[in-house]
Amino acid sequence: SLCRPMYYSYPEKNEAYEYKQQYMFGDNVLVATVCQPVDTLSGVAARDVWFPAGNDWYDMAHLQMIKGGSKKTLHYTIGENCWFVMAGAILPLAQEGIQSLQDKTNALRIYVAPGKGRSTYRHYEDDGVSQAYDTDYAVTDITKNATSSSCTVSVAARKGSYKGIDPQRDLTIVLGGLDRKPASAKMGTAELEVAYDPETKEASVKLP
């Protein structure tokens, strides 16, 4: 299933059973529910979170990396969500400003979480209507390699097809956890424009 209790992934860890109000959303996202009312003075609510060892986790609300194998008490406002991305993971995002996930769109944003090393992701898509999801579909393989000074993202050619597939695609790469705007972005030898948001610590590059 898409949402899984922690003990599915970490069956031998006591914390996987003790921290009942957190779960895995897919393979790379850790989510915790905030069930406490906010403090009337500070305007925030406390939440205890367990971060499994083996990798670090990027806090999408507070924009900070948290060490795996630790336990933290974090605080959230009513407008913040308690979720964390595995360091270096690649996630698909909808286009900005989308109102309904049922609306067809050819825009795709690929979010790359901060973290060194190599990561892979296979993007699956179908017509979203029929039951032919196991025969009529397309996949796109995406890899990233990151060092302390650079990040290379490779997007392979889309394989497969389905009814109504659009041959063109609006693709944007979003790099998270950056304290400053990257010096440059290139596709081959061509220079690409980089947009940077200091509030979200994200740089985005739209591919031609």
Side-chain angles (χ1 to χ4, degrees), residues 14 21 26 37 42-43 51 57 77 90 94 98 110 116 121 129 131 147 153 163 167 169 172 179 187 198 202:
N14 291 332
Q21 294 175 336
S42 64
F51 299 94
W57 301 86
T77 67
I90 303 170
I98 192 169
I110 297 297
K116 297 179 184 178
Y121 165 68
V129 180
Q131 296 296 313
T147 66
V153 180
K163 184 178 180 180
R169 181 153 59 187
T172 301
D179 293 326
M187 188 174 71
E202 293 176 353

Side-chain angles (χ1 to χ4, degrees), residues 123-137:
H123 184 70
Y124 167 96
E125 55 189 312
D126 57 30
D127 61 17
V129 180
S130 73
Q131 296 296 313
Y133 56 85
D134 59 343
T135 57
D136 300 341
Y137 63 89

Side-chain angles (χ1 to χ4, degrees), residues 44-135:
V44 296
R47 169 71 221 199
D48 294 332
V49 184
W50 166 59
F51 299 94
N55 51 263
D56 295 338
W57 301 86
Y58 186 63
D59 186 338
M60 295 295 291
H62 302 125
L63 308 181
Q64 61 181 353
M65 192 68 74
I66 298 177
K67 192 73 176 176
S70 64
K71 302 172 185 177
K72 298 281 187 182
T73 299
L74 303 172
H75 297 85
Y76 294 87
T77 67
I78 191 69
E80 293 174 331
N81 292 311
C82 184
W83 67 293
F84 313 86
V85 179
M86 188 179 292
I90 303 170
L91 299 180
L93 300 178
Q95 69 182 74
E96 292 184 294
I98 192 169
Q99 298 297 313
S100 171
L101 291 176
Q102 305 307 315
D103 294 339
K104 289 196 67 174
T105 174
N106 213 30
L108 175 64
R109 293 187 298 151
I110 297 297
Y111 179 84
V112 179
K116 297 179 184 178
R118 184 176 186 272
S119 301
T120 62
Y121 165 68
R122 169 165 284 189
H123 184 70
Y124 167 96
E125 55 189 312
D126 57 30
D127 61 17
V129 180
S130 73
Q131 296 296 313
Y133 56 85
D134 59 343
T135 57

Side-chain angles (χ1 to χ4, degrees), residues 149-152 175 178 180-195 203-205:
S149 60
S150 67
C151 180
T152 301
L175 304 174
L178 300 179
R180 61 183 182 274
K181 181 178 180 179
S184 65
K186 294 181 179 180
M187 188 174 71
T189 58
E191 290 278 352
L192 301 180
E193 184 177 349
V194 182
S204 58
V205 181

